[in-house]
Amino acid sequence: MKHVPFKFLGLVFILNLLYLSSCKKVNTDTLPVSDFYWKLGNTEYSTNTDTAFFSYSGIKIVATTNSDFSSTIKGPSIYLNSYGVGKYSLKIQGSNQLIYFDNAGEENLSTDGSLEITSNTNNYLTGFFNATLVNSLGIENTISGTFTDIQLRP
């Protein structure tokens, strides 16, 4: 039986290392950091890229305090008629509205407010919002927030 010389094995090992190091890598330093902050009354909330997104399906911006979307969303769902840069009025009826699902799962609807999209670049959306909400009992609350580089999910 013939033995493979160690010099040959060393050369194969070095060539494999060179090949693996030449593979294209994704530079995660250049990926946007996604954040979604909101304040409901006096309580502040935040979420990140895993639980905040926007979608052209129903044209909505969604954030949740849940760890995933497998259960009822707890947080703001903002429905818009467009994702163009600009200011949108949020009302209880119409194509632009904010619905807030509280911890009990109850809907709180925007009676008055606005949302401004300041950037829509490469499928990342940035902006801010504020609104007055009312629940089924007629109790009002206020909400305001910002979103930075939330990503499109088809």
Side-chain angles (χ1 to χ4, degrees), residues 3-16:
H3 293 293
V4 177
F6 285 110
K7 288 182 184 180
F8 178 73
L9 290 176
L11 179 62
V12 169
F13 178 74
I14 290 172
L15 289 175
N16 279 330

Side-chain angles (χ1 to χ4, degrees), residues 17-129:
L17 284 177
L18 287 173
Y19 173 74
L20 291 174
S21 67
S22 69
C23 292
K24 187 174 181 178
K25 296 172 185 67
V26 175
N27 184 356
T28 57
D29 294 338
T30 61
L31 296 176
V33 175
S34 174
D35 290 308
F36 198 117
Y37 298 98
W38 70 92
K39 184 175 181 180
L40 179 67
N42 293 321
T43 306
E44 295 183 8
Y45 300 89
S46 67
T47 187
N48 59 30
T49 189
D50 295 334
T51 54
F53 68 93
F54 75 104
S55 169
Y56 283 106
S57 171
I59 306 195
K60 63 187 171 206
I61 299 170
V62 179
T64 182
T65 56
N66 296 1
S67 59
D68 60 38
F69 290 99
S70 62
S71 57
T72 303
I73 292 173
K74 296 176 184 170
S77 291
I78 305 168
Y79 296 86
L80 299 173
N81 60 8
S82 167
Y83 286 136
V85 172
K87 191 171 185 177
Y88 299 85
S89 178
L90 301 173
K91 300 289 183 185
I92 202 163
Q93 294 181 343
S95 57
N96 300 326
Q97 59 179 252
L98 187 152
I99 301 173
Y100 187 86
F101 296 94
D102 62 23
N103 288 335
E106 185 173 348
E107 288 184 350
N108 295 262
L109 306 174
S110 59
T111 58
D112 188 32
S114 65
L115 175 138
E116 187 165 345
I117 295 175
T118 57
S119 174
N120 183 347
T121 307
N122 297 326
N123 292 327
Y124 290 92
L125 209 60
T126 298
F128 56 93
F129 62 93

